[in-house]
Amino acid sequence: MVDSKRSLDLARSHLLSRERALTSSRDTARSHLSSRGTDMGKKVKKDEKPPPDDVFDPLLVESRQAGTVVLMLSSPEEDVQAKACEAIYKYVDKCDENKKQLLDLNAIEALLPLLQSEDRIVRRNACMAVSVMTAHPEVRKKLRKNEEAIPAMITLLAPEEDTVVHEFCALGLSQMAIEFSSKAVIFENNGIEPLVKCLSSTDPDVQKNAIETLAQLLLDYQTRAAIKDCDGLSPMLELLKSEFSIIQKLALLALDRASQDADNRGALRELEAMSKLVDFVAHPEWNDLHVMAVMVLANLLEDHESLELVKETGTLKRLVALITDQPPPEEEAKGGGGKGGKAEKGGSRAAKKSAKDGKKSSEEKEESVPGEAIIPTLPDVKMCAAKAIARSARSAENRKILHEQEAEKMLIHLLAHESTEVQTAAAQALGIMSENLLTKDSIREWEGVQPLVKLLNSDNGDVKEAASLALANLTANNSTNCHDISNFGGIDALIHTLADAREEAVANAACCLTNMATEEALRSDAQNKHIVVKLIEPLKSKNTNVQSKCSLAVAAFVCDVDSRSDFRNNGGIEYLITLLHSGNDEVRRNSSWAIAVCAVDEQTASEVCKLGGMSVLQEIQVSGTRRNPFADVALQNLLNSNLSAKYSLTGALSSTNIILDGFYDAGQLRPGSQFLSLEDYCKQELHDKRPVLLVNAKPESAPKESQSQADAEMAKDSSKTSVSGKSSRTGRETKARKGSGERKSKAQKEKEEKQREEEIQAQLQREAENQSTTDNKPFEMPCDSNLCQYLEEITEKIQPLQTTREQVIALAQYVSDHMGGPIEKGELANFSYELPISQIRYEMKSNVVPIGKIKTGIHIHRALLFKVLADRIAVGCTLNRGEYNLAWNEVMLPDSDDTPGAPKFPPRTFVVDLVHCPGKLLRADSPEAAQYQQL
């Protein structure tokens, strides 16, 4: 069955082939007869000669597959290549998926050789296809790997090529220029010059694609440097007059990037670019492009030469008038001045893809009427203009010119604008302009201070930050502005800003307040408003600028006792000490300076020492990288305000260090150990180490009658009722009450029970209050009645002596007499002083011993007592600590020779002998003095 079916199929195919052959022969015969009949009968025009026998007849092919068309690109026939390229162009122009499909079919490899074809149509169509495909990133990646792709496209920009070729080649290069590697290849293959020539083309699409490519290329510094040599700046300026907004936008973008180069800015000045740009801004119908024009102006105005030029030509005043919506200064009745041109068209044209889509109709052009109402510039334009002034004002020379042109008036005017962005830009510009001394006065005279103070209350953080910066710069070295700000309520607003969430605003406010603190009246006003307490919270910030500025503000305001007390009581010292650990140099410097100011009184200095500030300052002092002069000053002030710590750390007190009540000698402080307060030493249990010597000449307080009365009342109350609620009366009274209680009613019993409970609660409350009073009782130093007596005696006997020498000798003998008398040399080891001092410690149950209670003392005790007494009668002397409990005093005395005409020498330093020969004065450079200072 299978063989029979096969034979039938073969027979059918054979019959079909014969039938086709017969039909073909019939058609040939009919055509032959028809031609003969025509020759014999009618006269008709003869057909052309048939093609030679060796030429293939034309074949029309319809292809539905992209792969077939790609294969046709390899055809040797130019007509086939051209049609295939055209078909590919139409196909890839539809969507990105088609571009990717042809890339996968290796269409790029086939199209690139056709870019160099001898046939113009093939080159054009191939260029169109390749350029459209470059919109896909994978295609661009493929072309970057081919070294001949970009050079071939640049070659097609030659003047002899068609306009369409120029258009699509420029389009392809603009797509390729997105990547920086392609920018470099275009530059290396001299692609800048042909692109510049395309800017002068009459076809707007060529202009659009060429300027777009140049705008991309100008992101590279090499192109920015070469564009001037290729004369590309002038054609860019001419494109500002184009009828197509997209071309204007791209031209401004290219000028913005080109003007970042200094040489290009010089060339643009020669081309009068600034005047042309201001004219551009004067056209209200181009308001969607005004921002970009002002950005180009901002670049140009950075140069001092540009400002000089606009000053001479009046261009800057024209720009200021446009930004402030005022008529230009030179405008007269001459047809609308610089505002004329073209009627405003609705909608932005910057987003259109093709230049032809944004063409303006010539019928819409109409001249503006003289005296027409001024159309205000957009807020974004005003903002960019203010930023342009700010950029230009970074130079001192530029600030001077801007001041001469009264640019401050424009900025002050913009402060009242409703847009917060405009307000921010204007305030920032004023802040930079305020670095000029004359500008500070001008802003005040033109009433610019009050708007800035009002902006401090804005809800916008940027506005508040910019306004605070402007005020900080305005108050620097300008007392008049400081008072002006205070008159407008600026102190309250600035103190309120210290609590703002915007950290830079806080820093600026602190800086402004620091500047105002130089005026005593303003400083007092701020202190009355508790600024010192308000500054504590910003010190906790993690922002180094806030830390630095607020530390400096603290140093400016804690210059009196009350402010330091408020700052100390509210815990501000702790945060200053924390800032000493900062890794920022400025923070360390300013916090050190704040501590230096705080440490001028004894209580604050003690608090700093208690919180470990002294040890931190010592670490900074010995550090090679963190040390600064402010830390040295802080440590010195700290020690001068806390002489006890100074003597323990340095072992020396100068003649200017006056010992007052509360001074104590805890011995030489060992490295790494912490200096404790007197209260801490008093709370320590008795030990066998050396005692702490205390100086306290305050008289003993009056008998505590009130306390005794309170104790008596408490004892009386406790005798009535005990804590447990049981009666303390006699047993007879208890029995009587018990017997009578049986006859009492139940209501009376409950009443008595309730009364007893109330008495118990009252007693417990009184006991708790007494206990808390005892715990919260302030620390009192042990009184030294003997020292008080010493002071009375030396005031009466030694102070009236005629000369300082006599006072020193008499005081030395007085100290020796009250410390056990003279001690022979070599007998010091046999002098018993430790046991009497131990007995005093045992009697007082304390390691702290008042210096007046010691009756047998050696060098360290006698030298301290001598210094204390000498300071009270105004005899200058030092106190120096040596090793092994040695100490001595040095005094400066003039020459003792009072003979008339005798030479006078400067005062000399003497060591006062208090031990061996009391009252003897040993020259400091003598061997005797050296021996006295050693064992």
Side-chain angles (χ1 to χ4, degrees), residues 817-839:
D817 293 340
H818 288 78
M819 283 285 180
I823 304 174
E824 295 292 334
K825 293 182 179 179
E827 296 296 326
L828 186 62
N830 299 326
F831 185 76
S832 176
Y833 69 93
E834 293 179 344
L835 182 60
I837 294 176
S838 298
Q839 290 175 348

Side-chain angles (χ1 to χ4, degrees), residues 289-552:
L289 300 176
H290 286 174
V291 171
M292 300 185 68
V294 174
M295 290 173 63
V296 180
L297 278 171
N299 293 338
L300 296 175
L301 291 176
E302 285 190 13
D303 294 337
H304 178 68
E305 295 81 5
S306 298
L307 274 179
E308 289 284 0
L309 182 61
V310 296
K311 174 185 174 182
E312 296 173 359
T313 59
T315 304
L316 183 59
K317 288 191 174 181
R318 286 183 58 210
L319 176 63
V320 170
L322 290 170
I323 298 304
T324 54
D325 303 327
Q326 298 174 358
E330 73 276 5
E331 186 179 74
E332 297 176 357
K334 56 176 183 179
K339 296 277 184 181
K342 304 171 185 180
E344 185 175 5
K345 293 176 66 178
S348 175
R349 296 149 295 179
K352 297 183 180 179
K353 294 183 179 179
S354 173
K356 293 178 180 177
D357 295 336
K359 187 171 183 180
K360 302 170 185 176
S361 174
S362 60
E363 290 84 1
E364 295 177 354
K365 299 179 185 178
E366 57 185 23
E367 295 294 330
S368 57
V369 182
E372 182 183 5
I374 296 175
I375 300 177
T377 53
L378 297 176
D380 289 345
V381 181
K382 298 179 187 295
M383 178 188 66
C384 289
K387 289 183 177 180
I389 298 296
R391 286 181 58 185
S392 180
R394 289 182 295 185
S395 168
E397 297 177 347
N398 292 354
R399 286 196 294 270
K400 182 179 179 182
I401 296 176
L402 290 170
H403 170 68
E404 293 172 356
Q405 296 296 300
E406 299 181 349
E408 301 96 327
K409 284 186 176 180
M410 179 193 84
L411 299 173
I412 294 173
H413 177 82
L414 295 180
L415 290 177
H417 197 274
E418 59 184 6
S419 172
T420 57
E421 295 179 348
V422 176
Q423 293 173 348
T424 301
Q428 287 175 343
L430 283 173
I432 298 175
M433 288 280 293
S434 299
E435 296 181 17
N436 182 281
L437 296 178
L438 297 176
T439 300
K440 295 179 181 181
D441 297 331
S442 299
I443 293 174
R444 183 184 67 253
E445 294 168 359
W446 289 330
E447 300 179 354
V449 174
Q450 187 175 8
L452 288 171
V453 174
K454 288 183 178 179
L455 291 180
L456 288 177
N457 299 320
S458 173
D459 295 332
N460 187 281
D462 292 334
V463 174
K464 192 176 295 186
E465 178 182 340
S468 60
L469 174 63
L471 291 173
N473 290 342
L474 281 172
T475 53
N477 302 320
N478 194 306
S479 59
T480 309
N481 284 348
C482 292
H483 287 281
D484 212 25
I485 291 173
S486 177
N487 294 336
F488 291 118
I491 293 180
D492 290 327
L494 289 167
I495 292 177
H496 180 73
T497 307
L498 292 175
D500 194 77
R502 196 65 173 256
E503 293 181 331
E504 291 302 324
V506 175
N508 295 334
C511 182
C512 183
L513 289 167
T514 304
N515 296 336
M516 297 176 70
T518 56
E519 300 296 317
E520 184 176 358
L522 303 181
R523 184 175 65 248
S524 300
D525 188 13
Q527 288 171 340
N528 293 335
K529 295 175 180 178
H530 308 290
I531 184 176
V532 174
V533 179
K534 300 292 185 181
L535 285 169
I536 295 176
E537 190 65 27
L539 292 176
K540 305 175 185 178
S541 172
K542 301 298 181 181
N543 187 293
T544 56
N545 191 29
V546 175
Q547 294 172 348
S548 173
K549 300 299 183 185
C550 290
S551 298
L552 203 59

Side-chain angles (χ1 to χ4, degrees), residues 146-157:
N146 193 314
E147 298 179 356
E148 300 298 328
I150 293 179
M153 298 173 73
I154 293 174
T155 304
L156 293 178
L157 292 174

Side-chain angles (χ1 to χ4, degrees), residues 826-874:
E827 296 296 326
L828 186 62
N830 299 326
F831 185 76
S832 176
Y833 69 93
E834 293 179 344
L835 182 60
I837 294 176
S838 298
Q839 290 175 348
I840 297 172
R841 294 171 64 181
Y842 178 76
E843 292 173 0
M844 298 183 65
K845 301 293 189 293
S846 174
N847 296 313
V848 179
V849 177
I851 188 66
K853 291 184 178 293
I854 299 177
K855 301 300 181 181
T856 54
I858 57 174
H859 296 74
I860 191 170
H861 311 105
R862 300 186 184 199
L864 176 58
L865 181 61
F866 183 87
K867 170 67 174 172
V868 172
L869 298 178
D871 287 343
R872 300 301 172 98
I873 61 174

Side-chain angles (χ1 to χ4, degrees), residues 168-393:
F168 281 92
C169 276
L171 175 64
L173 289 174
S174 68
Q175 298 289 347
M176 293 297 298
I178 296 175
E179 286 83 11
F180 270 91
S181 58
S182 299
K183 290 183 178 68
V185 176
I186 295 173
F187 177 80
E188 291 170 359
N189 287 274
N190 302 319
I192 307 299
E193 186 173 356
L195 286 169
V196 169
K197 291 180 180 179
C198 289
L199 296 179
S200 303
S201 174
T202 56
D203 187 280
D205 282 330
V206 176
Q207 294 177 342
K208 182 259 181 185
N209 293 337
I211 191 64
E212 185 175 6
T213 306
L214 287 172
Q216 290 284 358
L217 293 173
L218 284 169
L219 288 172
D220 187 21
Y221 75 97
Q222 291 179 318
T223 306
R224 288 199 294 268
I227 194 69
K228 180 175 70 71
D229 299 333
C230 297
D231 298 326
L233 298 176
S234 179
M236 291 181 187
L237 288 173
E238 290 299 320
L239 292 181
L240 295 180
K241 303 175 184 178
S242 174
E243 298 179 354
F244 307 99
S245 61
I246 186 63
I247 294 179
Q248 292 174 320
K249 177 183 177 181
L250 292 171
L252 288 171
L253 180 61
L255 287 171
D256 178 37
R257 294 170 179 175
S259 57
Q260 296 175 13
D261 183 82
D263 294 337
N264 291 343
R265 291 196 294 269
L268 288 170
R269 282 195 299 269
E270 297 175 0
L271 296 171
E272 300 181 356
M274 288 177 290
S275 179
K276 295 178 180 179
L277 288 167
V278 173
D279 292 340
F280 187 90
V281 176
H283 287 73
E285 67 273 17
W286 298 338
N287 57 5
D288 55 339
L289 300 176
H290 286 174
V291 171
M292 300 185 68
V294 174
M295 290 173 63
V296 180
L297 278 171
N299 293 338
L300 296 175
L301 291 176
E302 285 190 13
D303 294 337
H304 178 68
E305 295 81 5
S306 298
L307 274 179
E308 289 284 0
L309 182 61
V310 296
K311 174 185 174 182
E312 296 173 359
T313 59
T315 304
L316 183 59
K317 288 191 174 181
R318 286 183 58 210
L319 176 63
V320 170
L322 290 170
I323 298 304
T324 54
D325 303 327
Q326 298 174 358
E330 73 276 5
E331 186 179 74
E332 297 176 357
K334 56 176 183 179
K339 296 277 184 181
K342 304 171 185 180
E344 185 175 5
K345 293 176 66 178
S348 175
R349 296 149 295 179
K352 297 183 180 179
K353 294 183 179 179
S354 173
K356 293 178 180 177
D357 295 336
K359 187 171 183 180
K360 302 170 185 176
S361 174
S362 60
E363 290 84 1
E364 295 177 354
K365 299 179 185 178
E366 57 185 23
E367 295 294 330
S368 57
V369 182
E372 182 183 5
I374 296 175
I375 300 177
T377 53
L378 297 176
D380 289 345
V381 181
K382 298 179 187 295
M383 178 188 66
C384 289
K387 289 183 177 180
I389 298 296
R391 286 181 58 185
S392 180

Side-chain angles (χ1 to χ4, degrees), residues 466 658 869 897:
I658 308 300
L869 298 178
D897 189 0

Side-chain angles (χ1 to χ4, degrees), residues 68-92:
T68 305
V69 181
V70 171
L71 293 175
M72 292 172 64
L73 294 174
S74 303
S75 173
E77 298 184 49
E78 295 173 346
D79 188 34
V80 175
Q81 294 173 345
K83 292 181 178 180
C85 291
E86 183 180 4
I88 289 176
Y89 160 69
K90 294 178 180 179
Y91 183 69
V92 298

